[in-house]
Amino acid sequence: QVQVVESGGGLVRPGESLKLSCHASGNALSEALMGWYRATPGSQREFVATITGDGITEYADSVKGRFSISRDNAKNEVYLQMSSLTPEDTAIYYCNVQKFFNYWGPGIQVTVAG
């Protein structure tokens, strides 16, 4: 069983940056695919970014050039550095770990306003 928890969300102004962190508990996660998804009220969860154990990354078109995903396999952690945030980035962000099954964190709110 893998438990996943996000941290680092909050309220920021347009143009500012924010870094999300995600910690996964479990063994042998260095080869797991880890990533971030987000959802707004009334919408389905959408893909944001993923990173393989070897560091290969993929991004949604909407965040390319603004967001950067990274991971620390020794800590079982994945990060999402978000820059040039806009109100359209406001959402609940979910961390995902894929190892045989899909494991999700409870989500964390990111609000871009002001």
Side-chain angles (χ1 to χ4, degrees):
Q1 185 75 10
V2 176
Q3 294 185 332
V4 181
V5 61
E6 305 93 344
S7 62
L11 171 65
V12 295
R13 294 182 177 181
E16 293 185 340
S17 299
L18 194 65
K19 185 176 182 179
L20 302 182
S21 299
C22 169
H23 179 78
S25 64
N27 296 322
L29 294 179
S30 62
E31 295 183 357
L33 180 68
M34 303 180 81
W36 293 92
Y37 293 73
R38 65 187 182 186
T40 56
S43 72
Q44 291 187 335
R45 200 171 296 185
E46 66 174 16
F47 164 76
V48 176
T50 55
I51 184 168
T52 69
D54 294 332
I56 298 172
T57 59
E58 288 193 36
Y59 295 93
D61 288 343
S62 59
V63 306
K64 279 182 182 176
R66 300 188 301 120
F67 289 13
S68 178
I69 188 170
S70 61
R71 65 190 287 168
D72 185 333
N73 288 335
K75 296 181 178 180
N76 281 353
E77 294 185 350
V78 61
Y79 313 100
L80 187 68
Q81 177 68 52
M82 304 183 291
S83 303
S84 302
L85 285 161
T86 73
E88 288 68 37
D89 295 315
T90 295
I92 298 175
Y93 284 71
Y94 297 90
C95 180
N96 174 260
V97 177
Q98 294 184 32
K99 183 185 177 186
F100 306 120
F101 301 101
N102 255 326
Y103 298 95
W104 294 94
I108 193 162
Q109 179 70 45
V110 172
T111 302
V112 185

